Amino acid sequence: MLSLDIGTTKICLMELNDENSVLDTKVVDNKGTTVDDGFCHEQDADVIFGQVQALLKGKEKDHLALTGQMHGFVLIDKEGNAQSPCITWRDQRIKGMHLPGDPERTGCKIHRGYAAGTLVWMQKQGQDLKGLRAVSLPGYIQGKLTGDFSIDDENAASWGIYDVKAHTWDWNLVDQLGLPPEVLPEIIPSASIVGLGGKLVVHAPVGDNQASVWYVTQGGGAAVLNLGDGGQMSIPVKTFAYRSGQECRPMPDGTFIQVYSSLCGGWAYDYL
């Protein structure tokens, strides 16, 4: 099994055997950042895909599991070509905007850096979304490898407009925001087999927060403190339970995690 983590500052490829023991690890700096001015944070998705291709060179007849940064998106055309940079979770351009939300359904409010809010901002600036589709960055890599530019349910939930309990977009909220329905991709189960990327069997992404929790707890009930570019305290719960001040995110096994994301994590080290 190969596991690929497309982080904001690092990209990591790990090779594991059937017992989940690590055989090899390769880590490279993410070279995709093009704008980082404290207001906008953008990355070139094709530069990142090029780095992924280099890491996967020579790998074949194996399964590829994907994870990576959540909340952000890339706009693509009907052929799957990027028509925008990846606007990441660190982006601040919707600061000061007041957006509707339904966290009792979506598990979260629409915060800065969340795709739904940034898409609304782009429309207000005159961006025509006709003929375009938004995909997560891990979903863009999935699509470049397989031709399937769908989104997994965990990354969909990170956009702020996914009905976590109904397992579909919250179309009422999408309408309130004025977003065209066709800009949203098809939703598929996280970690499901998507297709072939060369000789690799590619699985749909898992959210990076969920991936870290699942690896540590193996489905158990322990709380997890994770410090990466961001930081979260994640508490596993069996049923959906949103509370103000936290988010409730879906897990691959149908359970949930309550997430407290008040920590800046590894991002702080960029400034030291």
Side-chain angles (χ1 to χ4, degrees):
M1 169 68 78
L2 299 172
S3 177
L4 179 67
D5 181 3
I6 308 158
T8 313
T9 56
K10 303 285 184 181
I11 302 172
C12 176
L13 181 68
M14 184 178 293
E15 186 173 355
L16 305 98
N17 62 19
D18 292 340
E19 286 74 44
N20 284 331
S21 297
V22 178
L23 300 177
D24 189 30
T25 301
K26 295 180 180 178
V27 181
V28 298
D29 291 335
N30 185 328
K31 300 293 188 182
T33 300
T34 55
V35 179
D36 184 8
D37 59 9
F39 180 66
C40 297
H41 193 266
E42 300 177 354
Q43 295 187 324
D44 187 318
D46 287 322
V47 168
I48 294 171
F49 180 57
Q51 292 186 267
V52 168
Q53 287 180 302
L55 286 171
L56 293 177
K57 187 176 181 180
K59 305 294 184 183
E60 57 182 41
K61 296 182 181 179
D62 214 336
H63 287 253
L64 176 65
L66 294 170
T67 188
Q69 52 176 290
M70 299 161 62
H71 310 298
F73 69 95
V74 183
L75 288 172
I76 60 171
D77 61 19
K78 292 180 180 179
E79 286 72 45
N81 300 309
Q83 299 299 307
S84 79
C86 173
I87 302 178
T88 82
W89 62 276
R90 285 178 53 178
D91 196 86
Q92 303 290 305
R93 70 189 71 191
I94 74 165
K95 184 177 181 179
M97 289 179 62
H98 297 285
L99 299 170
D102 190 358
E104 293 293 341
R105 294 167 65 89
T106 62
C108 64
K109 297 179 180 179
I110 300 175
H111 298 287
R112 283 172 280 178
Y114 284 29
T118 309
L119 287 167
V120 170
W121 183 92
M122 293 176 77
Q123 285 198 133
K124 288 182 179 295
Q125 303 305 308
Q127 170 74 54
D128 184 4
L129 299 178
K130 185 177 180 180
L132 301 177
R133 187 191 312 170
V135 293
S136 68
L137 181 58
Y140 183 73
I141 301 303
Q142 165 196 293
K144 283 300 200 182
L145 291 171
T146 68
D148 184 331
F149 289 92
S150 55
I151 189 171
D152 67 281
D153 49 2
E154 294 171 18
N155 274 286
S158 78
W159 286 9
I161 48 174
Y162 175 72
D163 188 326
V164 176
K165 292 182 284 188
H167 307 290
T168 185
W169 296 113
D170 186 335
W171 294 116
N172 181 57
L173 181 53
V174 171
D175 183 62
Q176 289 182 58
L177 292 167
L179 293 175
E182 58 271 16
V183 80
L184 299 176
E186 175 191 1
I187 301 169
I188 62 174
S190 63
S192 58
I193 293 177
V194 177
L196 291 175
K199 296 183 179 180
L200 293 173
V201 178
V202 180
H203 292 248
V206 174
D208 58 356
N209 179 202
Q210 288 91 332
S212 65
V213 173
W214 186 259
Y215 182 79
V216 171
T217 67
Q218 296 294 302
V224 176
L225 176 62
N226 178 46
L227 295 175
D229 285 324
Q232 310 92 18
M233 171 70 80
S234 304
I235 301 175
V237 292
K238 294 188 179 299
T239 58
F240 178 84
Y242 171 78
R243 292 185 177 85
S244 180
Q246 48 88 6
E247 297 188 5
C248 192
R249 299 175 177 174
M251 289 287 287
D253 63 349
T255 61
F256 302 87
I257 47 176
Q258 291 178 326
V259 183
Y260 302 81
S261 302
S262 60
L263 302 170
C264 61
W267 185 8
Y269 292 101
D270 282 347
Y271 297 90
L272 297 179

